[in-house]
């Protein structure tokens, strides 16, 4: 796939101590244009031997990604009580490339009447390259010249793993379980060639256990328990020690000393389907704990501070760098209950859930944990009236609480909900009418970012030909012209509410032709394949 991305971003930001004491402010305009492509492929070979449960599987896959582009930025910033002003006019050219080649080989051998032993081996090799060259504007030559070494960097890194292990599987009509363990050797290497020259090589040896248990009850219900462990390397951006000043008040940089993270995941799932009343119930719970989690270490300057590598951090600005910390914990639960309502020929699904995340970080060298709590509930009412009429009513509410152990000024509560209705009608001689109405509401966020909008779409189409394989449809998206993109980002040092300019009301004409073909002698109505 190929993509082209253009972005225009305007920031008006300020920093205060307490409610009123001014520390810094900025007005920044950032424009970027990037072009890139991604390639991927996979080859899988499977063989089943004459002996039951004896199999061989070989899989080889590869990906390649490339992105290049440039960005320009102008900014006027003021720092300190005396409002010492600085101006910025820069252009940055950047390119990133990466490829991954991985393989997987597994062999299974029967063990007893119902057991099976599996042996697996999975090698992987990943290469990343990231280059960024930033130049300042020269008013004399009226061009961008003079490389800014603090904002430029060329960095390559590789991540190679060899993972192999053995597992045992057992199954009968009611129960199935699997126990296994893998050993993994990983080598992380990096090479910086500009502005400084250095290299790093780190090796890791990990034991990765995993288990699964499934039990099927007689009432068409089942219980499943999963446990797995995994590792994750830092990204090339996290390793690259170049400053990103796209927001002059919130600077970021990488850390070449990062280690890979190690995660434990436990999942429990219970499901009940069918029964005499055709009801369904589903419950899910998950817990994840990460060691050597890649967290943020933030320095908040209350006065001009000279950091390592001659980085000047102005009063009221922040510099964030990734570091490894233990203690990242996430947990979530989800429940859903479905039942038919014969009197109105509909199906009703009720759902509710709760989630928690505790994200560690460092603020001026002190540990802070950002605890986020989310409670949600909702329903979906779907029709089953006829093949020609279909409607759906839905509602989901979320209440969020953020509490920090150190940065209590970043604590917040906010609420959002989504309510919607969809209606589809196949009426007179092949005409199709579709409409949907969605209401998005945000309450408790920053002034000017509380949101209550209605998104209404509608279309009318007609199906041509005897088999109705050709459809022409015209529709209007965002009829009320209210579409607005609001997002909230919560970190251990600040809360950011963003409003994105999105595509509003527009007319869309769609032509769809379905090609259906059958094997010779195949009964009509059974499609062998289709292309849309």
């Amino acid at each position: 796939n190929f993509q082209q991305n253009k972005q225009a971003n305007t920031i008006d930001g300020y920093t205060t101590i307490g409610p009123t004491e001014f520390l810094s402010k900025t007005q920044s305009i950032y424009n970027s244009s990037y072009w890139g492509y991604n390639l991927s492929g996979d080859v899988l070979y499977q063989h089943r031997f004459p002996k039951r449960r004896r199999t061989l599987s070989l899989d080889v896959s590869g990906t390649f990604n490339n992105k290049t582009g440039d960005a320009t930025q102008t900014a006027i910033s003021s720092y300190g009580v005396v409002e010492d002003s600085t101006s910025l006019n820069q252009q940055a050219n950047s390119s990133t490339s990466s490829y991954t080649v991985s393989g997987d080989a597994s062999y299974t051998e029967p063990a007893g009447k119902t057991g099976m032993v599996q042996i697996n081996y999975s090698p992987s090799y990943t290469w990343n390259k990231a280059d960024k060259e930033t130049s300042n504007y020269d008013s004399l030559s009226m061009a961008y010249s003079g490389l800014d070494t603090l904002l430029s960097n060329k960095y390559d890194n590789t991540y190679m793993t060899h993972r192999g292990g053995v597992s045992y599987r057992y199954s009968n009509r009611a129960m199935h379980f699997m126990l296994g363990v893998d050993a993994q050797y990983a080598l992380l290497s990096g090479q910086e060639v500009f502005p400084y020259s250095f290299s790093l090589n780190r090796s890791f040896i990990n034991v990765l256990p995993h288990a699964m248990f499934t039990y099927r009850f007689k009432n068409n219900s089942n219980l499943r328990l999963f446990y797995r462990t995994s590792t994750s390397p830092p990204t090339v951006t996290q390793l690259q020690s170049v400053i990103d000043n796209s927001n002059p008040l919130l600077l970021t940089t990488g850390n070449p000393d990062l280690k890979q993270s190690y995660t434990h995941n436990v999942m429990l799932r219970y499901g009940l389907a069918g029964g005499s009343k055709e009801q369904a119930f589903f419950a899910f719970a998950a817990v994840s704990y990460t060691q050597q989690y890649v967290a943020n270490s933030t320095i908040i300057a209350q006065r001009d501070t000279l950091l390592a590598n001659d980085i000047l951090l102005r009063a009221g600005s922040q510099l964030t760098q990734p570091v490894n910390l233990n203690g990242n914990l996430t947990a979530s639960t989800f429940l859903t209950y479905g039942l038919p309502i014969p009197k109105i020929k509909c199906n009703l699904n009720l759902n509710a859930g709760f989630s928690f995340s505790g994200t560690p970080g460092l603020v001026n060298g002190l540990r802070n944990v950002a605890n986020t709590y989310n409670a949600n509930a909702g329903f979906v009412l779907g029709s089953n009236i006829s093949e020609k009429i279909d409607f759906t009513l839905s509602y989901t509410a979320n209440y969020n609480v953020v509490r920090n152990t150190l940065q209590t000024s970043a604590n917040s509560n906010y609420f959002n909900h989504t309510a919607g209705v969809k209606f589809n009608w196949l009426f007179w001689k092949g005409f199709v009418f579709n409409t949907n109405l969605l209401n998005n509401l945000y309450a408790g966020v920053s002034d000017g970012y509380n949101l209550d909008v209605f998104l209404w779409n509608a279309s009318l189409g007609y199906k041509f030909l005897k088999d109705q394989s050709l459809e022409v449809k015209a529709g209007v998206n965002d009829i009320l012209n209210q579409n607005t993109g609001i997002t909230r980002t919560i970190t251990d040092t600040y809360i950011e509410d963003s409003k994105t300019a999105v595509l509003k009301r527009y007319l869309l004409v769609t032509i769809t032709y379905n090609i259906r073909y059958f094997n010779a002698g195949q009964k009509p109505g059974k499609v062998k394949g289709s292309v849309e």
Side-chain angles (χ1 to χ4, degrees):
N1 63 73
F2 301 86
Q3 66 265 185
Q4 185 178 16
N5 177 275
K6 292 185 178 181
Q7 179 185 9
N9 190 21
T10 301
I11 297 175
D12 291 318
Y14 63 93
T15 305
T16 59
I17 300 177
T20 58
E21 185 179 348
F22 168 82
L23 198 57
S24 64
K25 65 180 179 181
T26 187
Q27 291 181 322
S28 174
I29 299 176
Y30 180 86
N31 294 278
S32 64
S33 177
Y34 288 93
W35 182 88
Y37 60 90
N38 307 313
L39 305 174
S40 63
D42 182 84
V43 177
L44 173 65
Y45 172 77
Q46 294 176 310
H47 179 73
R48 183 174 60 186
F49 294 91
K51 188 173 183 178
R52 192 165 176 243
R53 299 195 304 278
R54 178 181 290 171
T55 65
L56 176 66
S57 175
L58 301 173
D59 186 19
V60 178
S61 62
T63 62
F64 179 80
N65 306 297
N66 181 269
K67 185 175 74 172
T68 60
D70 58 74
T72 59
Q73 180 180 9
T74 59
I76 299 177
S77 305
S78 299
Y79 305 94
V81 178
V82 296
E83 297 194 24
D84 179 22
S85 297
T86 62
S87 61
L88 180 71
N89 190 347
Q90 295 176 332
Q91 183 181 69
N93 299 313
S94 62
S95 65
T96 58
S97 300
S98 68
Y99 69 82
T100 299
V101 179
S102 61
D104 181 76
S106 62
Y107 174 78
T108 63
E109 181 70 19
K113 294 183 179 181
T114 57
M116 182 173 63
V117 175
Q118 176 175 301
I119 301 173
N120 61 277
Y121 169 63
S122 303
S124 176
Y125 182 85
T126 299
W127 171 83
N128 295 284
K129 179 181 180 180
D131 295 346
K132 183 179 181 180
E133 296 182 355
T134 302
S135 301
N136 295 302
Y137 184 77
D138 186 351
S139 58
L140 295 178
S141 62
M142 301 182 66
Y144 291 99
S145 61
L147 204 60
D148 192 324
T149 57
L150 287 178
L151 304 177
S152 303
N153 188 268
K154 294 185 178 182
Y155 188 84
D156 301 349
N157 87 299
T158 61
Y159 183 69
M160 179 181 63
T161 63
H162 293 274
R163 178 170 177 168
V166 60
S167 61
Y168 173 76
R169 300 172 182 264
Y170 171 85
S171 62
N172 56 31
R173 291 184 177 180
M175 182 177 63
H176 174 80
F177 75 84
M178 181 272 294
L179 295 173
V181 62
D182 290 349
Q184 177 179 279
Y185 171 78
L187 179 62
L188 178 64
S189 302
Q191 179 72 40
E192 181 176 303
V193 296
F194 183 85
Y196 307 102
S197 179
F198 78 93
S199 61
L200 64 89
N201 289 279
R202 292 192 181 89
S203 60
F204 309 92
I205 298 177
N206 298 109
V207 177
L208 303 171
H210 50 94
M212 178 183 67
F213 174 79
T214 301
Y215 190 84
R216 298 180 179 87
F217 299 94
K218 294 182 179 180
N219 61 347
N220 292 328
S221 65
N222 62 81
L223 177 69
R224 294 185 177 182
L225 177 66
F226 300 86
Y227 169 71
R228 67 181 181 89
T229 54
S230 61
T231 62
S232 179
T235 67
V236 65
T237 302
Q238 293 170 335
L239 292 168
Q240 192 179 18
S241 58
V242 60
I243 295 177
D244 181 356
N245 67 338
S246 55
N247 185 335
L249 298 185
L250 304 175
L251 308 178
T252 61
T253 186
N255 180 4
D257 295 325
L258 289 176
K259 303 178 179 65
Q260 66 174 6
S261 59
Y262 186 100
T263 302
H264 303 261
N265 289 288
V266 179
M267 293 173 286
L268 178 65
R269 186 174 66 184
Y270 174 79
L272 171 63
S276 58
K277 298 183 179 181
E278 297 183 355
Q279 299 176 353
F281 176 76
F282 176 82
F284 173 85
V287 177
S288 176
Y289 179 79
T290 302
Q291 299 169 279
Q292 298 294 344
Y293 174 73
V294 179
N296 288 328
S297 175
T298 301
I299 298 175
I300 305 175
Q302 296 192 13
R303 62 184 62 86
D304 290 355
T305 305
L306 187 63
L307 304 178
N309 297 332
D310 295 327
I311 299 174
L312 178 61
L313 190 61
R314 302 301 301 268
S317 58
Q318 303 178 14
L319 177 66
T320 298
Q321 184 180 41
V323 293
N324 291 112
L325 293 177
N326 289 325
N328 181 68
L329 176 67
T330 62
S332 62
T333 61
F334 181 77
L335 302 173
T336 181
Y337 175 68
L339 72 160
I341 306 178
K343 291 185 179 181
I344 59 174
K345 296 182 179 181
C346 292
N347 296 312
L348 177 65
N349 285 280
L350 304 173
N351 58 78
F354 178 81
S355 63
F356 165 81
S357 67
T359 305
L362 297 178
V363 181
N364 288 342
L366 301 177
R367 184 181 177 92
N368 176 71
V369 179
N371 296 309
T372 303
Y373 308 85
N374 170 268
N376 59 83
F379 72 88
V380 178
L381 180 66
S383 71
N384 191 23
I385 297 176
S386 71
E387 295 181 356
K388 295 185 177 182
I389 296 178
D390 175 68
F391 70 86
T392 302
L393 298 174
S394 62
Y395 179 81
T396 301
N398 289 275
Y399 187 74
N400 303 272
V401 177
V402 181
R403 293 292 181 267
N404 288 269
T405 58
L406 182 64
Q407 290 291 101
T408 56
S409 60
N411 293 345
S412 70
N413 300 344
Y414 63 98
F415 171 83
N416 69 283
H417 84 212
T418 302
V421 57
K422 297 180 181 179
F423 179 76
N424 303 309
W425 183 22
L426 180 63
F427 63 105
W428 185 66
K429 295 183 179 181
F431 281 94
V432 182
F433 174 72
N434 310 97
T435 186
N436 63 80
L437 179 65
L438 196 68
N439 172 244
N440 288 326
L441 180 143
Y442 281 84
V445 296
S446 304
D447 293 340
Y449 290 83
N450 289 299
L451 177 72
D452 187 7
V453 299
F454 289 86
L455 304 178
W456 181 22
N457 305 324
S459 66
L460 180 65
Y462 182 74
K463 295 180 179 292
F464 293 86
L465 306 181
K466 291 182 179 180
D467 58 355
Q468 295 188 335
S469 58
L470 176 63
E471 181 184 19
V472 178
K473 181 171 64 175
V476 179
N477 285 42
D478 191 17
I479 296 174
L480 303 178
N481 205 35
Q482 294 186 4
N483 193 14
T484 303
I486 297 289
T487 58
R488 165 161 281 203
T489 302
I490 300 175
T491 74
D492 47 1
T493 58
Y494 66 90
I495 298 173
E496 180 183 75
D497 293 318
S498 302
K499 183 182 294 184
T500 305
V502 295
L503 187 61
K504 293 193 174 184
R505 181 167 51 211
Y506 63 92
L507 174 67
L508 179 68
V509 177
T510 306
I511 300 175
T512 304
Y513 179 64
N514 290 281
I515 302 173
R516 299 181 175 90
Y517 54 94
F518 307 93
N519 280 346
Q522 190 175 8
K523 294 181 180 180
K526 293 187 176 181
V527 180
K528 177 64 178 177
S530 65
V531 178
E532 181 175 328

